[in-house]
Every structure is written in C-alpha cells, then in structure tokens.
Amino acid sequence: QVQLVESGGGLVQAGGSLRLSCAASGRSFSSYAMGWFRRAPGKERDFVAAISGAGGTTDYANSVKGRFTISRDNAKNTVYLQMSSLKPEDTAVYYCAAGRIYSTLVAQYGYWGQGTQVTVSS
C-alpha cells in the first residue's frame, strides 16, 4: 500500500510559479515511478510529467515542457512539480501517482493522491 498526499496548490496570477509536493508513505519509494496528472474542469485526467525511481528519466506533456520540472527526493519520500510561467489553461486539480512501471499512461499507475487545486487567473 502506498498513500500519497499532495500539497502546494493555490491561486496564482498568470506568469507566476508554484511548487507542488507529494509526500509518500512506505519504505520502497525509490522503487516506484512517480507521475503528475491533472484534471481540468469538465475534462478527463491528463498526463503532465513522470520520473523514474532513481530520478534519471523524466517525461513531460508537450503543453508543459520547458515550464514544469518534476523532481524527487527519495530520502524524503517526496516528489515535486515546479511550475513556472503558469497559464490559465494550467488550471486543474493536480494528482500525483505511483506505479511499478515507468510510464506516461494513467493505466500504469496504481496509487493516487487526493489532488490539489491549482487555479491560474488571467
């Protein structure tokens, strides 16, 4: 079992920055690939970023590449999403997820946090 808790969401102006954190329980954090996904109002959950267990491999959705950075601190059982140059279209509930397999696909992640709201005003 893995429990994930996101934090750091909030209301920001367009062009601003936020850093989301996801704290994980358990003793095998480094064995899990971690991902960030988001669900915008009225839309399905979409891939945002992923990072491998040791942090050596990352992937980003084209819509966030160059603006967002995923990272992890395995000693703290925490994964981060640094978001810069935020746009109103980034407004969504952001979820972190853990999976046994490194992937950009929702279906490959078995554990999910409760989500944290990010709202970007124009």
Side-chain angles (χ1 to χ4, degrees):
Q1 303 94 321
V2 178
Q3 283 88 40
L4 304 171
V5 180
E6 302 97 333
S7 62
L11 174 64
V12 297
Q13 299 272 15
S17 298
L18 280 176
R19 188 175 75 160
L20 306 184
S21 298
C22 176
S25 67
R27 31 196 289 282
S28 301
F29 180 68
S30 64
S31 71
Y32 287 93
M34 299 294 296
W36 286 96
F37 298 80
R38 66 188 182 186
R39 187 190 300 275
K43 298 183 178 180
E44 296 298 318
R45 182 172 49 187
D46 288 331
F47 168 74
V48 176
I51 188 167
S52 59
T57 303
T58 58
D59 282 285
Y60 299 92
N62 287 336
S63 59
V64 308
K65 191 172 184 179
R67 300 188 297 119
F68 291 12
T69 301
I70 188 171
S71 62
R72 66 193 296 162
D73 186 339
N74 287 342
K76 297 181 179 179
N77 280 17
T78 302
V79 63
Y80 305 96
L81 185 68
Q82 177 66 51
M83 306 185 294
S84 300
S85 301
L86 283 162
K87 305 174 180 179
E89 51 262 46
D90 295 318
T91 294
V93 177
Y94 283 71
Y95 301 89
C96 68
R100 301 298 299 178
I101 302 170
Y102 179 78
S103 178
T104 63
L105 303 177
V106 169
Q108 295 294 332
Y109 290 85
Y111 303 96
W112 295 85
Q114 84 287 352
T116 186
Q117 176 71 47
V118 172
T119 303
V120 184
S121 62
S122 60

